[in-house]
Amino acid sequence: MRNTVRDFQKMKADGVPITMLTAYDASSARLAEAAGIPAILVGDSLGAVVQGHEFPIPVTLDHIIYHASIVTRVTTTSLIVGDLPFMTYSVSPEQALTNAARLMQEAGVSAVKLEGGEFIAPTIQRMVQAGIPVMAHIGLQPQSVYQVGGLKAQGRDVDSAKQLLRDAEAVQSAGAFGVVIEAVPAPLGEMITKRLEIPTIGIGAGPHCDGQVQVFHDILGLFDAFIPRHTRRYATIGDSIKTALEQYRADVESHAFPTADQSFSMKKDVLAALESADESDLPIESH
Ligand code: KIV
Protein backbone atom coordinates (compact mmCIF):
# COMPACT_ATOMS: atom_id res chain seq x y z
CA MET A 1 0.00 0.00 0.00
CA ARG A 2 1.31 3.42 -0.95
CA ASN A 3 1.91 6.03 1.76
CA THR A 4 -0.84 8.63 1.80
CA VAL A 5 -0.89 12.27 2.79
CA ARG A 6 -2.48 11.13 6.05
CA ASP A 7 0.58 8.93 6.80
CA PHE A 8 2.68 11.97 6.01
CA GLN A 9 0.79 14.04 8.57
CA LYS A 10 0.89 11.23 11.13
CA MET A 11 4.67 11.28 10.91
CA LYS A 12 4.64 14.88 12.18
CA ALA A 13 2.16 13.99 14.93
CA ASP A 14 4.37 11.05 15.97
CA GLY A 15 7.55 13.13 15.81
CA VAL A 16 9.01 10.99 13.01
CA PRO A 17 11.29 13.04 10.72
CA ILE A 18 10.09 12.90 7.09
CA THR A 19 12.59 12.24 4.31
CA MET A 20 11.62 13.37 0.83
CA LEU A 21 13.71 13.13 -2.33
CA THR A 22 13.17 14.03 -5.96
CA ALA A 23 13.18 11.38 -8.67
CA TYR A 24 12.39 11.67 -12.35
CA ASP A 25 13.01 8.27 -13.90
CA ALA A 26 12.69 4.54 -13.25
CA SER A 27 16.20 3.98 -11.89
CA SER A 28 16.20 6.89 -9.45
CA ALA A 29 12.65 6.18 -8.26
CA ARG A 30 13.39 2.48 -7.67
CA LEU A 31 16.54 3.37 -5.73
CA ALA A 32 14.74 5.99 -3.62
CA GLU A 33 11.99 3.55 -2.72
CA ALA A 34 14.46 0.73 -2.03
CA ALA A 35 16.23 3.11 0.38
CA GLY A 36 12.96 3.51 2.28
CA ILE A 37 12.31 7.11 1.25
CA PRO A 38 8.63 7.60 2.22
CA ALA A 39 7.84 10.44 -0.20
CA ILE A 40 9.15 11.19 -3.69
CA LEU A 41 8.74 14.53 -5.43
CA VAL A 42 8.73 14.68 -9.22
CA GLY A 43 9.86 18.29 -9.11
CA ASP A 44 10.35 20.89 -11.79
CA SER A 45 14.00 20.85 -10.69
CA LEU A 46 14.15 18.33 -13.54
CA GLY A 47 14.43 21.42 -15.75
CA ALA A 48 17.97 21.91 -14.44
CA VAL A 49 19.20 18.41 -13.66
CA VAL A 50 17.54 16.47 -16.51
CA GLN A 51 16.81 19.00 -19.24
CA GLY A 52 19.86 21.25 -18.83
CA HIS A 53 18.01 24.53 -18.30
CA GLU A 54 19.23 27.14 -15.83
CA PHE A 55 15.82 27.61 -14.21
CA PRO A 56 12.51 25.68 -14.07
CA ILE A 57 10.57 28.12 -16.25
CA PRO A 58 10.66 26.03 -19.47
CA VAL A 59 9.31 22.90 -17.75
CA THR A 60 5.78 22.10 -18.95
CA LEU A 61 2.93 20.10 -17.47
CA ASP A 62 3.48 17.44 -20.15
CA HIS A 63 7.11 17.08 -19.05
CA ILE A 64 6.07 16.52 -15.43
CA ILE A 65 3.32 14.10 -16.48
CA TYR A 66 5.83 12.12 -18.55
CA HIS A 67 8.37 11.82 -15.72
CA ALA A 68 5.79 11.34 -12.96
CA SER A 69 4.09 8.51 -14.84
CA ILE A 70 7.43 6.67 -14.95
CA VAL A 71 7.95 7.20 -11.22
CA THR A 72 4.46 6.01 -10.28
CA ARG A 73 4.82 2.98 -12.61
CA VAL A 74 7.90 1.62 -10.85
CA THR A 75 7.07 2.40 -7.21
CA THR A 76 4.55 0.84 -4.88
CA THR A 77 4.99 2.30 -1.40
CA SER A 78 6.34 5.87 -1.56
CA LEU A 79 3.94 8.79 -1.69
CA ILE A 80 4.46 10.42 -5.10
CA VAL A 81 3.95 14.17 -5.32
CA GLY A 82 3.93 15.86 -8.74
CA ASP A 83 5.03 19.49 -9.18
CA LEU A 84 2.76 21.89 -11.02
CA PRO A 85 5.08 23.89 -13.31
CA PHE A 86 5.28 27.65 -13.93
CA MET A 87 1.95 29.23 -14.93
CA THR A 88 -0.03 26.00 -14.80
CA TYR A 89 -2.01 27.00 -11.69
CA SER A 90 -1.84 30.77 -11.15
CA VAL A 91 -4.05 31.95 -14.00
CA SER A 92 -7.22 30.88 -12.18
CA PRO A 93 -8.44 28.22 -9.73
CA GLU A 94 -10.12 26.51 -12.71
CA GLN A 95 -6.78 26.24 -14.50
CA ALA A 96 -5.20 24.80 -11.34
CA LEU A 97 -8.01 22.26 -10.91
CA THR A 98 -7.82 21.14 -14.53
CA ASN A 99 -4.03 20.76 -14.54
CA ALA A 100 -3.84 19.07 -11.14
CA ALA A 101 -6.48 16.61 -12.34
CA ARG A 102 -4.36 15.82 -15.43
CA LEU A 103 -1.34 15.20 -13.24
CA MET A 104 -3.29 12.85 -10.99
CA GLN A 105 -5.19 11.03 -13.74
CA GLU A 106 -2.50 10.78 -16.42
CA ALA A 107 0.57 10.34 -14.21
CA GLY A 108 -1.03 8.64 -11.20
CA VAL A 109 0.44 10.93 -8.53
CA SER A 110 -1.37 11.07 -5.19
CA ALA A 111 -0.73 14.76 -4.56
CA VAL A 112 0.47 17.92 -6.27
CA LYS A 113 2.81 20.71 -5.18
CA LEU A 114 2.59 24.36 -6.11
CA GLU A 115 4.50 27.51 -5.19
CA GLY A 116 3.01 30.43 -3.30
CA GLY A 117 1.59 31.56 0.02
CA GLU A 118 -1.22 34.00 0.78
CA PHE A 119 -1.75 34.81 -2.90
CA ILE A 120 -2.36 31.22 -3.95
CA ALA A 121 -4.26 30.13 -0.80
CA PRO A 122 -7.75 30.61 -2.33
CA THR A 123 -6.70 28.34 -5.20
CA ILE A 124 -5.39 25.73 -2.76
CA GLN A 125 -8.74 25.86 -0.96
CA ARG A 126 -10.66 25.18 -4.18
CA MET A 127 -8.35 22.30 -5.06
CA VAL A 128 -8.63 20.72 -1.62
CA GLN A 129 -12.43 21.09 -1.73
CA ALA A 130 -12.33 19.20 -5.03
CA GLY A 131 -10.40 16.32 -3.43
CA ILE A 132 -6.89 17.20 -4.58
CA PRO A 133 -4.17 16.84 -1.92
CA VAL A 134 -1.97 19.94 -2.19
CA MET A 135 1.50 20.57 -0.86
CA ALA A 136 2.45 24.25 -0.76
CA HIS A 137 5.93 25.68 -1.34
CA ILE A 138 6.96 28.95 0.33
CA GLY A 139 10.19 30.88 0.89
CA LEU A 140 12.40 30.78 -2.18
CA GLN A 141 10.09 29.98 -5.07
CA PRO A 142 12.28 29.08 -8.05
CA GLN A 143 9.43 29.72 -10.53
CA SER A 144 9.64 33.42 -9.53
CA VAL A 145 13.36 33.58 -10.22
CA TYR A 146 13.12 36.38 -12.78
CA GLN A 147 10.98 38.51 -10.49
CA VAL A 148 13.19 37.98 -7.44
CA GLY A 149 16.39 38.39 -9.46
CA GLY A 150 17.99 35.03 -8.66
CA LEU A 151 17.74 32.01 -6.39
CA LYS A 152 18.09 33.99 -3.16
CA ALA A 153 17.36 33.13 0.47
CA GLN A 154 14.11 34.65 1.74
CA GLY A 155 12.77 35.92 5.07
CA ARG A 156 15.97 37.58 6.21
CA ASP A 157 14.39 40.85 7.37
CA VAL A 158 11.48 41.41 9.73
CA ASP A 159 8.92 42.27 7.02
CA SER A 160 9.68 39.32 4.76
CA ALA A 161 9.91 36.95 7.74
CA LYS A 162 6.45 38.11 8.88
CA GLN A 163 5.17 37.63 5.32
CA LEU A 164 6.48 34.08 5.36
CA LEU A 165 4.65 33.41 8.63
CA ARG A 166 1.48 34.75 7.00
CA ASP A 167 2.10 32.58 3.93
CA ALA A 168 2.55 29.49 6.09
CA GLU A 169 -0.61 30.19 8.04
CA ALA A 170 -2.57 30.91 4.84
CA VAL A 171 -1.67 27.66 3.08
CA GLN A 172 -2.44 25.63 6.20
CA SER A 173 -5.83 27.33 6.60
CA ALA A 174 -6.52 26.67 2.91
CA GLY A 175 -6.09 22.94 3.54
CA ALA A 176 -2.58 22.15 2.27
CA PHE A 177 -1.47 18.81 3.75
CA GLY A 178 2.15 19.97 4.04
CA VAL A 179 4.45 22.79 3.05
CA VAL A 180 7.92 22.93 1.55
CA ILE A 181 9.97 25.80 2.99
CA GLU A 182 12.94 26.68 0.80
CA ALA A 183 16.01 28.78 1.66
CA VAL A 184 14.96 30.65 4.77
CA PRO A 185 16.97 31.23 7.97
CA ALA A 186 16.94 28.21 10.27
CA PRO A 187 15.27 30.07 13.20
CA LEU A 188 12.43 31.09 10.90
CA GLY A 189 12.06 27.49 9.66
CA GLU A 190 11.81 26.45 13.31
CA MET A 191 9.29 29.19 14.14
CA ILE A 192 7.03 28.20 11.24
CA THR A 193 7.33 24.50 12.10
CA LYS A 194 6.29 25.12 15.71
CA ARG A 195 3.29 27.22 14.66
CA LEU A 196 1.90 24.85 12.00
CA GLU A 197 0.00 21.63 12.52
CA ILE A 198 0.84 20.38 9.03
CA PRO A 199 4.35 19.02 8.31
CA THR A 200 7.01 21.46 7.15
CA ILE A 201 9.51 20.04 4.70
CA GLY A 202 12.67 22.10 4.59
CA ILE A 203 15.23 22.59 1.88
CA GLY A 204 17.72 25.05 3.26
CA ALA A 205 15.33 25.89 6.10
CA GLY A 206 17.35 24.44 8.97
CA PRO A 207 17.22 21.26 11.05
CA HIS A 208 13.98 21.96 12.91
CA CYS A 209 11.55 21.37 10.05
CA ASP A 210 9.45 18.22 10.29
CA GLY A 211 11.21 16.79 7.26
CA GLN A 212 13.75 17.53 4.57
CA VAL A 213 13.62 17.37 0.78
CA GLN A 214 16.64 17.23 -1.49
CA VAL A 215 17.29 16.89 -5.20
CA PHE A 216 18.51 13.39 -6.16
CA HIS A 217 21.29 14.70 -8.40
CA ASP A 218 22.54 17.19 -5.79
CA ILE A 219 23.06 14.76 -2.92
CA LEU A 220 24.65 12.13 -5.16
CA GLY A 221 27.06 14.45 -6.95
CA LEU A 222 25.44 14.01 -10.35
CA PHE A 223 24.88 17.72 -10.99
CA ASP A 224 27.97 19.84 -11.31
CA ALA A 225 26.71 23.23 -12.54
CA PHE A 226 26.78 24.42 -8.92
CA ILE A 227 26.38 22.93 -5.44
CA PRO A 228 23.46 24.56 -3.59
CA ARG A 229 24.31 25.67 -0.04
CA HIS A 230 21.49 23.50 1.34
CA THR A 231 22.95 20.31 -0.10
CA ARG A 232 25.14 17.69 1.53
CA ARG A 233 26.87 15.35 -0.89
CA TYR A 234 26.36 11.77 0.21
CA ALA A 235 28.25 10.38 -2.78
CA THR A 236 30.26 11.53 -5.77
CA ILE A 237 28.55 9.33 -8.32
CA GLY A 238 29.30 11.77 -11.13
CA ASP A 239 33.05 11.31 -10.58
CA SER A 240 32.64 7.52 -10.41
CA ILE A 241 30.65 7.52 -13.65
CA LYS A 242 33.25 9.66 -15.43
CA THR A 243 36.08 7.37 -14.27
CA ALA A 244 34.13 4.32 -15.43
CA LEU A 245 33.39 5.88 -18.82
CA GLU A 246 37.05 6.81 -19.31
CA GLN A 247 37.98 3.19 -18.55
CA TYR A 248 35.35 1.95 -21.01
CA ARG A 249 36.74 4.19 -23.75
CA ALA A 250 40.30 3.11 -22.97
CA ASP A 251 39.28 -0.57 -23.11
CA VAL A 252 37.57 -0.11 -26.48
CA GLU A 253 40.56 1.74 -27.86
CA SER A 254 43.02 -0.89 -26.61
CA HIS A 255 40.80 -3.84 -27.68
CA ALA A 256 40.56 -4.94 -24.02
CA PHE A 257 36.76 -4.85 -24.38
CA PRO A 258 34.89 -6.97 -25.32
CA THR A 259 36.44 -10.37 -24.51
CA ALA A 260 34.95 -13.84 -24.95
CA ASP A 261 32.96 -13.20 -21.74
CA GLN A 262 30.91 -10.49 -23.45
CA SER A 263 30.64 -12.30 -26.83
CA PHE A 264 28.33 -14.93 -28.33
CA SER A 265 29.79 -18.20 -29.61
CA MET A 266 28.91 -20.00 -32.84
CA LYS A 267 28.68 -23.75 -33.41
CA LYS A 268 31.77 -25.07 -35.21
CA ASP A 269 29.78 -26.60 -38.09
CA VAL A 270 27.93 -23.32 -38.73
CA LEU A 271 31.19 -21.40 -38.81
CA ALA A 272 32.80 -24.01 -41.09
CA ALA A 273 29.85 -23.83 -43.50
CA LEU A 274 30.08 -20.06 -43.61
CA GLU A 275 33.83 -20.06 -44.14
CA SER A 276 33.66 -22.62 -46.95
CA ALA A 277 30.69 -21.01 -48.70
CA ASP A 278 31.08 -19.66 -52.19
CA GLU A 279 31.66 -15.87 -52.02
CA SER A 280 28.73 -15.43 -54.45
CA ASP A 281 26.39 -17.05 -51.85
CA LEU A 282 27.25 -14.38 -49.25
CA PRO A 283 25.57 -11.02 -49.55
CA ILE A 284 28.51 -8.91 -48.35
CA GLU A 285 31.86 -9.10 -50.08
CA SER A 286 34.88 -9.64 -47.86
CA HIS A 287 37.55 -6.92 -48.02
O1 KIV B 1 11.35 21.08 -8.02
C1 KIV B 1 11.79 20.59 -6.98
O2 KIV B 1 12.51 19.59 -6.97
C2 KIV B 1 11.45 21.25 -5.73
C3 KIV B 1 12.21 20.85 -4.50
C4 KIV B 1 13.62 21.23 -4.60
C5 KIV B 1 11.55 21.32 -3.28
O3 KIV B 1 10.60 22.08 -5.71
Side-chain angles (χ1 to χ4, degrees):
M1 168 74 187
R2 218 180 252 295
N3 291 331
T4 68
V5 298
R6 295 286 157 238
D7 298 319
F8 201 80
Q9 291 179 311
K10 188 168 180 299
M11 288 174 85
K12 171 159 183 153
D14 294 347
V16 178
I18 303 167
T19 313
M20 198 168 183
L21 182 66
T22 67
Y24 320 98
D25 61 21
S27 307
S28 57
R30 281 198 184 105
L31 287 168
E33 192 168 76
I37 304 283
I40 294 176
L41 170 67
V42 184
D44 63 3
S45 50
L46 69 83
V49 299
V50 176
Q51 297 176 333
H53 296 297
E54 192 177 5
F55 300 125
I57 310 301
V59 177
T60 67
L61 185 64
D62 285 337
H63 295 157
I64 297 284
I65 289 174
Y66 172 79
H67 287 277
S69 61
I70 296 170
V71 170
T72 58
R73 186 178 310 135
V74 301
T75 53
T76 53
T77 56
S78 303
L79 170 71
I80 313 296
V81 181
D83 225 356
L84 283 170
F86 178 62
M87 290 307 288
T88 61
Y89 54 89
S90 43
V91 173
S92 66
E94 287 70 26
Q95 183 211 25
L97 285 165
T98 306
N99 286 333
R102 276 197 65 201
L103 195 41
M104 293 179 76
Q105 291 184 310
E106 295 177 37
V109 300
S110 314
V112 303
K113 176 171 84 61
L114 50 72
E115 294 182 6
E118 268 189 319
F119 155 76
I120 208 70
T123 298
I124 295 177
Q125 191 169 18
R126 285 281 303 278
M127 296 167 81
V128 173
Q129 281 166 350
I132 299 168
V134 179
M135 174 169 242
H137 182 154
I138 62 172
L140 170 60
Q141 295 165 36
Q143 292 172 14
S144 303
V145 60
Y146 293 130
Q147 192 180 47
V148 178
L151 299 175
K152 297 178 180 163
Q154 303 294 305
R156 301 187 97 163
D157 57 54
V158 176
D159 284 349
S160 64
K162 281 185 177 168
Q163 181 58 49
L164 267 165
L165 285 162
R166 283 195 291 273
D167 287 338
E169 153 62 22
V171 298
Q172 171 169 276
S173 298
F177 74 88
V179 57
V180 167
I181 308 175
E182 179 161 358
V184 307
L188 184 57
E190 181 177 12
M191 204 179 284
I192 295 172
T193 301
K194 283 189 173 150
R195 281 159 190 261
L196 291 191
E197 281 165 27
I198 58 173
T200 59
I201 307 298
I203 173 163
H208 301 291
C209 294
D210 298 305
Q212 301 291 330
V213 59
Q214 285 287 312
V215 170
F216 186 91
H217 294 60
D218 287 342
I219 62 168
L220 295 176
L222 278 164
F223 180 68
D224 271 340
F226 63 95
I227 303 175
R229 181 175 165 77
H230 57 68
T231 288
R232 177 181 292 168
R233 286 224 157 149
Y234 286 89
T236 48
I237 308 286
D239 291 344
S240 306
I241 291 177
K242 186 164 163 282
T243 304
L245 296 182
E246 284 166 353
Q247 185 61 53
Y248 167 55
R249 178 173 62 83
D251 284 357
V252 170
E253 289 175 359
S254 66
H255 300 284
F257 175 85
T259 65
D261 284 346
Q262 294 90 33
S263 304
F264 298 92
S265 60
M266 186 180 246
K267 284 187 183 149
K268 280 188 184 147
D269 56 329
V270 177
L271 180 59
L274 275 175
E275 285 177 339
S276 61
D278 198 298
E279 275 295 326
S280 61
D281 282 346
L282 299 174
I284 311 169
E285 269 183 42
S286 117
H287 294 284

mmCIF file of all heavy atoms in Angstrom, residues 248 251-264:
data_model
loop_
_atom_site.group_PDB
_atom_site.id
_atom_site.type_symbol
_atom_site.label_atom_id
_atom_site.label_comp_id
_atom_site.label_asym_id
_atom_site.label_seq_id
_atom_site.Cartn_x
_atom_site.Cartn_y
_atom_site.Cartn_z
ATOM 1 N N TYR A 248 36.053 2.598 -19.893
ATOM 2 C CA TYR A 248 35.351 1.948 -21.013
ATOM 3 C C TYR A 248 35.972 2.381 -22.347
ATOM 4 O O TYR A 248 36.303 1.550 -23.193
ATOM 5 C CB TYR A 248 33.867 2.318 -20.940
ATOM 6 C CG TYR A 248 33.044 1.996 -22.162
ATOM 7 C CD1 TYR A 248 32.992 0.705 -22.684
ATOM 8 C CD2 TYR A 248 32.307 2.993 -22.798
ATOM 9 C CE1 TYR A 248 32.238 0.424 -23.803
ATOM 10 C CE2 TYR A 248 31.543 2.719 -23.915
ATOM 11 C CZ TYR A 248 31.523 1.427 -24.414
ATOM 12 O OH TYR A 248 30.773 1.153 -25.539
ATOM 13 N N ASP A 251 39.365 0.860 -22.796
ATOM 14 C CA ASP A 251 39.281 -0.575 -23.114
ATOM 15 C C ASP A 251 38.884 -0.796 -24.566
ATOM 16 O O ASP A 251 39.389 -1.708 -25.230
ATOM 17 C CB ASP A 251 38.274 -1.271 -22.187
ATOM 18 C CG ASP A 251 38.840 -1.496 -20.792
ATOM 19 O OD1 ASP A 251 40.025 -1.169 -20.565
ATOM 20 O OD2 ASP A 251 38.083 -1.987 -19.931
ATOM 21 N N VAL A 252 37.965 0.028 -25.068
ATOM 22 C CA VAL A 252 37.575 -0.109 -26.479
ATOM 23 C C VAL A 252 38.771 0.225 -27.363
ATOM 24 O O VAL A 252 39.104 -0.505 -28.311
ATOM 25 C CB VAL A 252 36.374 0.815 -26.809
ATOM 26 C CG1 VAL A 252 36.124 0.862 -28.317
ATOM 27 C CG2 VAL A 252 35.115 0.329 -26.085
ATOM 28 N N GLU A 253 39.445 1.302 -27.014
ATOM 29 C CA GLU A 253 40.562 1.745 -27.864
ATOM 30 C C GLU A 253 41.740 0.771 -27.834
ATOM 31 O O GLU A 253 42.476 0.655 -28.808
ATOM 32 C CB GLU A 253 41.012 3.154 -27.422
ATOM 33 C CG GLU A 253 39.967 4.204 -27.808
ATOM 34 C CD GLU A 253 40.285 5.605 -27.307
ATOM 35 O OE1 GLU A 253 41.314 5.804 -26.637
ATOM 36 O OE2 GLU A 253 39.471 6.507 -27.590
ATOM 37 N N SER A 254 41.897 0.054 -26.706
ATOM 38 C CA SER A 254 43.022 -0.890 -26.611
ATOM 39 C C SER A 254 42.587 -2.330 -26.933
ATOM 40 O O SER A 254 43.365 -3.258 -26.749
ATOM 41 C CB SER A 254 43.595 -0.854 -25.190
ATOM 42 O OG SER A 254 42.619 -1.372 -24.277
ATOM 43 N N HIS A 255 41.357 -2.509 -27.372
ATOM 44 C CA HIS A 255 40.797 -3.843 -27.679
ATOM 45 C C HIS A 255 40.714 -4.740 -26.446
ATOM 46 O O HIS A 255 40.638 -5.945 -26.562
ATOM 47 C CB HIS A 255 41.599 -4.547 -28.789
ATOM 48 C CG HIS A 255 41.603 -3.777 -30.074
ATOM 49 N ND1 HIS A 255 40.532 -3.742 -30.922
ATOM 50 C CD2 HIS A 255 42.545 -2.990 -30.631
ATOM 51 C CE1 HIS A 255 40.811 -2.953 -31.948
ATOM 52 N NE2 HIS A 255 42.030 -2.475 -31.799
ATOM 53 N N ALA A 256 40.714 -4.134 -25.239
ATOM 54 C CA ALA A 256 40.557 -4.937 -24.017
ATOM 55 C C ALA A 256 39.081 -5.256 -23.765
ATOM 56 O O ALA A 256 38.731 -6.076 -22.931
ATOM 57 C CB ALA A 256 41.126 -4.181 -22.829
ATOM 58 N N PHE A 257 38.208 -4.597 -24.463
ATOM 59 C CA PHE A 257 36.759 -4.853 -24.378
ATOM 60 C C PHE A 257 36.196 -4.881 -25.798
ATOM 61 O O PHE A 257 36.526 -3.996 -26.591
ATOM 62 C CB PHE A 257 36.056 -3.759 -23.579
ATOM 63 C CG PHE A 257 34.550 -3.910 -23.576
ATOM 64 C CD1 PHE A 257 33.923 -4.726 -22.655
ATOM 65 C CD2 PHE A 257 33.766 -3.279 -24.545
ATOM 66 C CE1 PHE A 257 32.540 -4.889 -22.675
ATOM 67 C CE2 PHE A 257 32.393 -3.443 -24.574
ATOM 68 C CZ PHE A 257 31.774 -4.248 -23.625
ATOM 69 N N PRO A 258 35.342 -5.838 -26.142
ATOM 70 C CA PRO A 258 34.890 -6.966 -25.317
ATOM 71 C C PRO A 258 35.827 -8.159 -25.420
ATOM 72 O O PRO A 258 36.620 -8.248 -26.353
ATOM 73 C CB PRO A 258 33.526 -7.296 -25.940
ATOM 74 C CG PRO A 258 33.675 -6.939 -27.384
ATOM 75 C CD PRO A 258 34.613 -5.761 -27.426
ATOM 76 N N THR A 259 35.714 -9.086 -24.457
ATOM 77 C CA THR A 259 36.443 -10.366 -24.515
ATOM 78 C C THR A 259 35.418 -11.463 -24.791
ATOM 79 O O THR A 259 34.231 -11.170 -25.005
ATOM 80 C CB THR A 259 37.141 -10.658 -23.175
ATOM 81 O OG1 THR A 259 36.116 -10.839 -22.186
ATOM 82 C CG2 THR A 259 38.072 -9.531 -22.769
ATOM 83 N N ALA A 260 35.864 -12.713 -24.727
ATOM 84 C CA ALA A 260 34.949 -13.843 -24.952
ATOM 85 C C ALA A 260 33.780 -13.806 -23.966
ATOM 86 O O ALA A 260 32.663 -14.219 -24.295
ATOM 87 C CB ALA A 260 35.707 -15.154 -24.816
ATOM 88 N N ASP A 261 34.023 -13.258 -22.763
ATOM 89 C CA ASP A 261 32.958 -13.203 -21.739
ATOM 90 C C ASP A 261 31.769 -12.357 -22.182
ATOM 91 O O ASP A 261 30.644 -12.565 -21.736
ATOM 92 C CB ASP A 261 33.495 -12.591 -20.440
ATOM 93 C CG ASP A 261 34.354 -13.575 -19.681
ATOM 94 O OD1 ASP A 261 34.307 -14.771 -20.027
ATOM 95 O OD2 ASP A 261 35.062 -13.133 -18.760
ATOM 96 N N GLN A 262 32.021 -11.379 -23.010
ATOM 97 C CA GLN A 262 30.913 -10.494 -23.452
ATOM 98 C C GLN A 262 30.505 -10.798 -24.893
ATOM 99 O O GLN A 262 29.854 -9.991 -25.549
ATOM 100 C CB GLN A 262 31.321 -9.016 -23.360
ATOM 101 C CG GLN A 262 31.552 -8.510 -21.951
ATOM 102 C CD GLN A 262 32.990 -8.671 -21.497
ATOM 103 O OE1 GLN A 262 33.915 -8.573 -22.302
ATOM 104 N NE2 GLN A 262 33.182 -8.936 -20.218
ATOM 105 N N SER A 263 30.927 -11.979 -25.427
ATOM 106 C CA SER A 263 30.645 -12.296 -26.832
ATOM 107 C C SER A 263 29.793 -13.550 -26.925
ATOM 108 O O SER A 263 29.709 -14.335 -25.976
ATOM 109 C CB SER A 263 31.964 -12.516 -27.581
ATOM 110 O OG SER A 263 32.788 -11.385 -27.436
ATOM 111 N N PHE A 264 29.160 -13.737 -28.072
ATOM 112 C CA PHE A 264 28.332 -14.929 -28.327
ATOM 113 C C PHE A 264 29.136 -15.916 -29.181
ATOM 114 O O PHE A 264 29.812 -15.499 -30.128
ATOM 115 C CB PHE A 264 27.045 -14.543 -29.059
ATOM 116 C CG PHE A 264 26.182 -13.597 -28.255
ATOM 117 C CD1 PHE A 264 26.312 -12.216 -28.406
ATOM 118 C CD2 PHE A 264 25.286 -14.084 -27.315
ATOM 119 C CE1 PHE A 264 25.547 -11.340 -27.654
ATOM 120 C CE2 PHE A 264 24.515 -13.209 -26.550
ATOM 121 C CZ PHE A 264 24.648 -11.842 -26.722
#
